[in-house]
């Protein structure tokens, strides 16, 4: 593993614990000599984690659509910055450049990115590990909902294992590094129900 894509909020959230977690994740990535790949912003948790990785001597690759760069929310001090045409290109390039994914607290954009890479794993399009950094139980409700989707027959139990979660950066990273891809056969004919 050489690079980790981090999805996180373009705002700092309501508690300083989120910023502290971003700084801790940055330190963990640098400690393990892992490049940060992220959405290229200079605001919120996105800007915080990028700034901290750079401050600690790490490498940061940002990927941002031109429209957001034009709004002056792009980080101009990164190791590498890719300016792309749209959000679809952004997400595809971030996934291509990354060996693993971590979602920190964030809003619907963070969730959309998380669910896209999780869906790709479920369909067998990639076998890269995906993690949730569950700061202060931020993702507890989401994890309960995913369990519910399984109980209702919309997500196989082994597909729940695609999503690794922890509330500590070091242990989450260890889980990602030892992840073994989940078998992705999932199709059930309606006549089999």
């Amino acid at each position: 593993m050489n690079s980790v894509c981090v999805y996180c909020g373009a705002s700092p959230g309501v508690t300083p614990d989120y910023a502290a977690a971003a700084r801790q994740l940055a330190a963990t990535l640098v400690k393990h000599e892992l490049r940060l790949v992220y959405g290229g912003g200079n605001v919120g948790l996105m800007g915080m984690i990028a700034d901290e990785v750079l401050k600690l001597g790490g490498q940061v690759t940002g990927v941002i659509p031109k429209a957001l760069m034009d709004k002056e929310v792009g980080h101009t001090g990164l190791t590498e910055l890719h300016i792309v045409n749209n959000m679809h290109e952004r997400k595809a390039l971030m996934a291509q450049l990354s060996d693993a994914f971590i979602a920190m607290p964030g809003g619907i954009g963070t969730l959309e990115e998380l669910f896209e890479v999780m869906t790709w794993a479920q369909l067998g399009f990639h076998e890269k590990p995906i993690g949730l950094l569950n700061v202060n139980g931020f993702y507890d409700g989401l994890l309960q909902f995913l369990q519910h989707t399984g109980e209702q027959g919309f997500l196989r139990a082994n597909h729940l294992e695609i999503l690794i979660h922890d509330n500590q950066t070091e242990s989450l990273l260890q889980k990602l590094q030892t992840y073994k891809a989940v078998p992705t056969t999932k199709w059930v004919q309606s006549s089999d129900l």
Side-chain angles (χ1 to χ4, degrees):
M1 184 182 306
N2 297 307
S3 60
V4 176
C5 180
V6 175
Y7 303 126
C8 57
S11 70
V14 297
T15 171
D17 294 344
Y18 300 139
R23 287 190 295 275
Q24 182 60 50
L25 180 54
T28 302
L29 294 175
V30 172
K31 173 184 169 187
H32 291 276
E33 299 181 355
L34 295 168
R35 174 182 286 263
L36 168 66
V37 176
Y38 85 117
N42 62 6
V43 294
L45 295 181
M46 293 175 67
M48 290 177 197
I49 192 168
D51 287 343
E52 190 70 12
V53 168
L54 292 167
K55 179 178 135 188
L56 297 172
Q59 303 290 307
V60 180
T61 297
V63 183
I64 192 165
K66 184 178 184 314
L68 292 179
M69 197 69 189
D70 291 346
K71 290 183 180 183
E72 299 182 354
V73 296
H75 199 304
T76 57
L78 304 177
T79 311
E80 183 177 28
L81 179 64
H82 299 271
I83 300 173
V84 295
N85 292 319
N86 55 53
M87 293 293 285
H88 297 292
E89 288 182 20
R90 178 195 217 181
K91 292 182 294 176
L93 185 55
M94 288 168 69
Q96 178 186 334
L97 295 172
S98 303
D99 300 317
F101 307 92
I102 294 176
M104 289 192 60
I108 58 173
T110 300
L111 292 172
E112 190 263 343
E113 291 167 325
L114 169 68
F115 281 126
E116 184 167 63
V117 293
M118 191 174 172
T119 300
W120 293 348
Q122 181 187 25
L123 295 172
F125 295 165
H126 74 80
E127 295 184 344
K128 299 174 183 180
I130 305 164
L132 284 179
L133 184 54
N134 195 15
V135 181
N136 290 351
F138 182 84
Y139 281 115
D140 286 353
L142 177 65
L143 293 167
Q144 290 170 356
F145 176 72
L146 290 173
Q147 186 68 40
H148 174 71
T149 64
E151 291 165 358
Q152 297 303 308
F154 293 104
L155 187 63
R156 289 194 174 190
N158 66 324
H159 291 161
L160 285 171
E161 297 170 19
I162 290 172
L163 190 59
I164 302 159
H165 53 92
D166 204 298
N167 60 2
Q168 299 296 318
T169 60
E170 189 68 44
S171 52
L172 178 61
L173 187 59
Q174 288 173 0
K175 290 176 183 179
L176 294 178
Q177 290 174 322
T178 59
Y179 173 77
K180 301 289 183 221
V182 173
T184 57
T185 304
K186 72 174 219 84
W187 310 114
V188 176
Q189 299 296 323
S190 59
S191 60
D192 294 337
L193 298 177

